[in-house]
């Protein structure tokens, strides 16, 4: 199973592709889409959408996992993050790929064991869990891989429950 993790943002949207075979995870590709702050907000949304559309066509994930936005005290920031999230998820929805959502604390707890872990801790654990030679860079890519790891762990648990006699 191929899982594409997405960490949405209007200035940097992280992505990470993992493959799960026989209960083992392997990192395949990760990075970040950075449209540039100098561009108009709507142009950035379009670039995020186009880049993820092309990525999905190229890597053909079976499922997509996305980090839910955190609560923000700044209404404008929260609104822009929601719009960036929609631009990032639309390609998966249009392709008919199932999308699963996880809260940031849930992702951190699944990867680090602590829901308030720092981004650097998450990156180091992602490196260890996927057997990478160095932490993924940028941190948005590490976060996206962490979302995919969280989903893989949750999916494996659901599959085991379905197989259990009872």
């Amino acid at each position: 199973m191929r899982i594409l993790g997405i960490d949405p943002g209007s200035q940097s949207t992280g992505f990470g592709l993992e493959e799960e075979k026989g209960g083992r995870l392997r990192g395949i590709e990760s990075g970040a889409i950075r449209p540039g702050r100098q561009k108009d907000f709507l142009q950035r949304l379009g670039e995020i959408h186009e880049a993820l559309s092309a990525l999905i066509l190229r890597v053909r994930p079976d499922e997509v996992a996305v980090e839910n936005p955190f609560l923000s005290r700044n209404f404008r920031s929260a609104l822009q993050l929601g719009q960036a999230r929609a631009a990032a998820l639309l390609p998966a929805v249009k392709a008919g790929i199932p999308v699963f959502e996880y809260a940031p604390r849930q992702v951190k707890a699944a990867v680090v064991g602590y829901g308030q872990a720092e981004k650097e801790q998450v990156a180091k654990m992602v490196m260890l869990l996927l057997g990478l030679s160095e932490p993924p860079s940028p941190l948005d890519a590490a976060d996206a891989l962490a979302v995919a790891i969280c989903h893989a762990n949750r999916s494996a648990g659901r599959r085991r429950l379905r197989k259990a006699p009872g």
Side-chain angles (χ1 to χ4, degrees), residues 161-166:
L161 285 174
R162 281 190 293 232
K163 290 180 183 178

Side-chain angles (χ1 to χ4, degrees), residues 9-28:
S10 63
Q11 294 176 14
S12 180
T13 292
F15 65 88
L17 182 68
E18 298 170 4
E19 188 170 62
E20 180 189 22
K21 281 188 180 176
R24 297 190 61 90
L25 284 175
R26 180 175 66 95
I28 297 176

Side-chain angles (χ1 to χ4, degrees), residues 74-146:
N74 182 324
F75 177 76
R76 182 184 167 135
S77 294
L79 183 60
Q80 286 186 334
L81 180 58
Q83 291 171 323
R85 188 171 177 274
L89 291 178
L90 192 56
V93 171
K94 286 174 66 177
I97 301 168
V99 175
F100 299 85
E101 304 171 292
Y102 299 95
R105 285 183 182 216
Q106 191 177 15
V107 172
K108 291 175 181 180
V111 174
V112 179
Y114 176 59
Q116 294 179 327
E118 298 294 323
K119 284 185 168 279
E120 291 78 12
Q121 291 173 299
V122 172
K124 286 181 184 175
M125 282 304 297
V126 165
M127 176 187 79
L128 294 171
L129 291 170
L130 296 178
L132 305 174
S133 58
E134 58 187 44
S137 181
L139 291 175
D140 296 315
D143 288 346
L145 287 167

Side-chain angles (χ1 to χ4, degrees), residues 57-87:
L57 279 174
R58 183 171 55 81
V59 302
R60 303 207 183 277
D62 298 303
E63 296 178 343
V64 170
V66 64
E67 189 170 85
N68 272 332
F70 57 89
L71 295 177
S72 174
R73 294 178 193 251
N74 182 324
F75 177 76
R76 182 184 167 135
S77 294
L79 183 60
Q80 286 186 334
L81 180 58
Q83 291 171 323
R85 188 171 177 274

Side-chain angles (χ1 to χ4, degrees), residues 10-12 33-45 47 76 80:
S10 63
Q11 294 176 14
S12 180
I33 301 159
R34 292 184 166 160
R37 293 180 186 206
Q38 73 281 4
K39 291 186 180 176
D40 175 76
F41 180 70
L42 293 177
Q43 288 177 313
R44 286 185 283 172
L45 293 181
E47 195 170 317
R76 182 184 167 135
Q80 286 186 334

